[in-house]
Amino acid sequence: MRDIDKIYIDGAFVTPHGGQRFDLYNPATEERIGSVRLGDAEDVRLAITAAKRAFPAMARTSKAERIAMLYRIRDAVKARADDLIAAMTEEYGAPTYFTGFSVQNTASIFEVMAASVEDYAFERIAGSSTVSMLPLGVIGAITPWNSNFGFIATKLAHAIGSGSTIVIKPAEQSAIQTQVLLECLHEAGLPKGVFNVVNGTGPEVGAALTAHPDVALITFTGSTPAAKIIQRSALETMKRFVLELGGKSPTIILDDADLDAAIPVALMSGFANSGQACVAGSRILVPRSRRDEILARLKRDAESFKVGIPTDPDVRIGPLANAAHWERVQSWIRLGQEEGASLMTGGEGRPEGLDRGWFARPTIFTEVTNSMRIAREEIFGPVLSVITYEDEAEAIAIANDSDFGLQAYVLSSDDGRALRMAQQLIAGRVVINGAPHDPRAPFGGFRQSGLGREIGAYGLDAFLEPRAILKPAA
Ligand code: ADP
């Protein structure tokens, strides 16, 4: 049992002013594994005060000092890799392949930021003026439960890289993971107040952060509906935003695709992180000329995807994160059938052999039209929609006919053709033929998938503001 009763303010673990408790569960067993004491608006105020006090010194740090801080955190994270993996497995239920990636990726986020700071031109010339790229002040960060340390790391790395300070409100469901990461961050020994973490709910702690006049920028990863509430709340004080939101990403299988390679990639893209991924390829676009063959393979391979306890190394799909989310995914599976889509595999309920845990069945709908809600809205579970197209032009039209634009996937045996397709897609990232994760590529989306970009110089640009100084000619 882990009872977490501290938050992190001004360089120390402190007891929150808020007294409410929130229970934590193991989603693979449904057992209660602990609780977290939640902060409140007063804790947010204290955290912002600490961050504000720490800002002037942080803003003056040199590139070398920021890089040193980033490497210290990277090392502290690496030293606790096993503990981070154990916490993510127990509290979130992610399969082994994903927990391993998550910790490695978290460490690499700090390395990538260090390299970006090294290369970034903080001082520039424009015309006859000098331009300084200045840090904004106190950053407010709000993160979701589907990749706890990765998102906290990204936001913290941008704050440090840009010379700002930060107050983070992580998802309260991930408090054990947050606690282990916080221990790493504390170990890194950064100056007091540079980062502060307040556990709490969105409507209380999140809302206090987004409304506070001393917060200059909100960096948020989560759902598009929550982002709209946050933007409204932050409007009054004209905050800057970096928003990384939902998706309904298309996976286009072209008619020349090598199906032995393409089908596993399409399914892994769709079922990534047990389907709880903003980048999940949840619409699979299939050419009519090869429809029957592709459907048969999708069905066969999806049914061989192992669903089960996250510690089994063969498992590809773990449980959904919590009971309410499991119910939500079930209702999407019902809705797909009501809308007239055909259930090719999966369906409601738990997979065979799993009688407890929030496991959903890997589900694929066919006969889906792009106007159905299951093709337009984010489900955030292992539920995929297959849409048939006639030719390339129609594939592009369907792919781009979405409120979102976060990621897209193209599968073809002709690299040139895949590239030409990619160049027509409206998405923050387009992945060709299962290309590996690139930790240096900008991340973020078009349309309602977000605002701004994270990572590298793109991320630093979003966290900085130019000040031009104009001088009379000498
Ligand atoms: P999820 O389903 O991943 O919880 P949300 O977008 O609802 O998706 O939540 C992402 C993060 O946003 C969480 O940390 C949550 O507490 C926070 N959040 C939710 N609603 C609000 C709000 N009104 N104001 C600020 N933060 C919020």
Side-chain angles (χ1 to χ4, degrees):
M1 215 40 81
R2 288 292 301 268
D3 289 312
I4 292 159
D5 56 5
K6 295 279 191 282
I7 53 176
Y8 195 85
I9 297 179
D10 209 18
F13 286 95
V14 297
T15 301
H17 175 265
Q20 201 191 328
R21 288 227 164 240
F22 180 87
D23 287 332
L24 304 168
Y25 293 89
N26 178 333
T29 63
E30 301 181 30
E31 282 161 358
R32 185 176 166 277
I33 53 170
S35 70
V36 53
R37 180 169 166 166
L38 302 176
D40 63 11
E42 173 62 9
D43 295 306
V44 173
R45 197 186 61 74
L46 293 170
I48 292 172
T49 302
K52 194 176 172 184
R53 205 166 37 233
F55 174 66
M58 187 65 200
R60 283 194 301 271
T61 49
S62 65
K63 275 188 176 185
E65 286 167 316
R66 292 180 200 173
I67 291 168
M69 287 184 201
L70 291 161
Y71 277 121
R72 286 214 300 277
I73 300 177
R74 190 273 315 261
D75 292 344
V77 165
K78 277 190 161 173
R80 297 283 304 273
D82 291 346
D83 296 334
L84 285 163
I85 288 175
M88 188 176 188
T89 305
E90 185 185 20
E91 186 182 48
Y92 177 58
T96 317
Y97 83 87
F98 194 72
T99 51
F101 164 80
S102 296
V103 173
Q104 211 177 11
N105 186 48
T106 299
S108 91
I109 284 165
F110 295 105
E111 284 167 20
V112 169
M113 181 52 74
S116 307
V117 170
E118 181 72 62
D119 294 344
Y120 196 82
F122 287 91
E123 299 295 329
R124 306 171 185 187
I125 303 289
S128 56
S129 305
T130 53
V131 179
S132 305
M133 298 300 287
L134 299 177
L136 289 164
V138 178
I139 307 294
I142 299 175
T143 63
W145 43 252
N146 69 321
S147 193
N148 174 271
F149 16 95
F151 291 130
I152 295 178
T154 302
K155 284 149 181 33
L156 175 60
H158 283 73
I160 295 172
S162 63
S164 279
T165 57
I166 190 165
V167 176
I168 305 171
K169 188 214 89 69
E172 62 274 29
Q173 296 91 336
S174 312
I176 298 175
Q177 299 162 78
T178 299
Q179 175 67 23
V180 180
L181 183 66
L182 265 177
E183 289 163 13
C184 298
L185 300 179
H186 182 68
E187 192 60 31
L190 264 48
K192 285 197 295 189
V194 166
F195 69 92
N196 307 270
V197 175
V198 182
N199 289 311
T201 66
E204 186 160 11
V205 169
L209 199 53
T210 58
H212 199 290
D214 287 337
V215 172
L217 175 145
I218 294 288
T219 172
F220 169 76
T221 300
S223 65
T224 299
K228 291 180 184 175
I229 298 172
I230 287 169
Q231 278 185 292
R232 278 187 211 109
S233 155
L235 185 69
E236 200 51 44
T237 44
M238 284 277 188
K239 296 190 191 343
R240 278 66 179 138
F241 292 106
V242 179
L243 306 173
E244 193 269 287
L245 311 176
K248 196 73 200 179
S249 299
T251 297
I252 304 178
I253 303 180
L254 288 172
D255 57 9
D256 65 1
D258 165 12
L259 297 187
D260 288 339
I263 298 295
V265 171
L267 289 173
M268 262 324 283
S269 307
F271 293 145
N273 195 4
S274 308
Q276 302 171 125
C278 48
V279 295
S282 51
R283 290 185 294 155
I284 303 182
L285 275 51
V286 165
R288 185 167 307 281
S289 59
R290 296 187 73 184
R291 177 184 178 278
D292 293 349
E293 184 190 0
I294 292 174
L295 258 50
R297 283 183 178 242
L298 283 171
K299 178 172 159 54
R300 186 194 67 194
D301 287 8
E303 287 170 0
S304 71
F305 257 66
K306 190 161 184 189
V307 185
I309 53 162
T311 43
D312 175 346
D314 295 330
V315 158
R316 286 290 164 273
I317 300 182
L320 296 177
N322 57 61
H325 189 50
W326 188 87
E327 289 294 348
R328 215 162 28 234
V329 170
Q330 300 303 310
S331 69
W332 276 109
I333 297 174
R334 276 195 296 283
L335 180 75
Q337 295 168 83
E338 286 160 20
E339 287 189 296
S342 170
L343 197 56
M344 181 170 75
T345 186
E348 283 179 71
R350 289 189 176 81
E352 223 171 286
L354 292 167
D355 53 8
R356 59 181 188 148
W358 295 308
F359 294 97
R361 298 171 68 192
T363 296
I364 303 182
F365 282 109
T366 59
E367 314 304 328
V368 178
T369 63
N370 204 43
S371 58
M372 290 180 185
R373 283 186 60 199
I374 55 166
R376 303 206 73 82
E377 296 178 43
E378 188 172 50
I379 297 175
F380 225 59
V383 181
L384 310 181
S385 291
V386 174
I387 304 172
T388 310
Y389 67 85
E390 297 297 335
D391 55 21
E392 280 186 14
E394 194 187 16
I396 294 289
I398 294 170
N400 287 340
D401 175 16
S402 174
D403 293 336
F404 297 108
L406 188 60
Q407 187 132 316
Y409 305 83
V410 181
L411 296 160
S412 168
S413 54
D414 177 341
D415 289 344
R417 191 177 171 209
L419 183 61
R420 283 194 300 280
M421 293 294 280
Q423 286 163 341
Q424 298 172 72
L425 290 168
I426 301 167
R429 281 184 180 180
V430 185
V431 181
I432 293 178
N433 288 332
H437 174 67
D438 183 352
R440 289 169 192 263
F443 187 51
F446 285 74
R447 299 168 166 163
Q448 296 195 25
S449 287
L451 210 57
R453 293 292 183 273
E454 292 176 328
I455 309 299
Y458 306 92
L460 284 171
D461 285 347
F463 276 68
L464 293 161
E465 202 136 36
R467 177 188 59 205
I469 296 185
L470 287 67
K471 289 178 292 196

